[in-house]
């Protein structure tokens, strides 16, 4: 396994030492590998979120171009509309065994 030299701040060094002393990790390398796994997972999640946002933007723009849009006279009217959408989206479906 290749060896790397890294420069840590005093705060990072203290955190690393504290994590090893806690027994959660056996050594500094384990702490750093776990940190890299977390960074990698965050990058994957960020890419997925960005892809979902891009898809939603494309759908929204296509709806605008096709004339599928609504206007609201007041911020309160928009708020009511969004609350109704959330309620209908999050409402449990009827007809399941648990509803009987």
């Amino acid at each position: 396994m290749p060896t790397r030299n890294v420069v840590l701040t005093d705060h990072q060094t203290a955190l690393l030492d504290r994590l090893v002393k806690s027994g959660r990790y056996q050594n500094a390398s384990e702490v750093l590998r776990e940190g890299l796994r977390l960074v990698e997972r965050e990058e994957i999640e960020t890419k997925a979120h960005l892809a979902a946002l891009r898809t939603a933007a494309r759908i929204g723009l296509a709806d605008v171009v096709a004339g599928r849009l609504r206007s609201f006279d007041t911020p309160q009217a928009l708020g009511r509309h969004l609350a109704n959408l959330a309620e209908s989206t999050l409402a449990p479906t009827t007809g399941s065994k648990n509803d009987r």
Side-chain angles (χ1 to χ4, degrees):
M1 210 177 308
T3 301
R4 301 269 192 237
N5 292 322
V6 296
V7 178
L8 302 174
T9 66
D10 291 340
H11 173 77
Q12 292 166 332
T13 300
L15 174 60
L16 194 145
D17 290 342
R18 189 169 64 247
L19 290 169
V20 172
K21 284 179 187 173
S22 75
R24 184 173 173 189
Y25 301 95
Q26 290 184 0
N27 54 49
S29 292
E30 282 188 3
V31 175
L32 294 175
R33 282 192 297 270
E34 177 70 12
L36 288 171
R37 281 190 291 273
L38 291 171
V39 168
E40 183 177 37
R41 182 173 42 177
E42 184 177 314
E43 283 186 341
I44 290 167
E45 289 173 1
T46 297
K47 285 180 184 177
H49 287 133
L50 286 173
L53 287 171
R54 286 185 181 105
T55 298
R58 277 193 295 276
I59 291 168
L61 289 173
D63 282 346
V64 169
V65 169
R68 294 183 299 264
L69 51 96
R70 290 185 64 175
S71 317
F72 298 94
D73 295 329
T74 65
Q76 293 79 12
L78 172 60
R80 283 191 300 275
H81 176 70
L82 293 174
N84 289 337
L85 283 176
E87 184 178 319
S88 66
T89 301
L90 299 175
T93 56
T94 58
S96 69
K97 272 186 165 178
N98 295 336
D99 291 340
R100 294 179 191 164

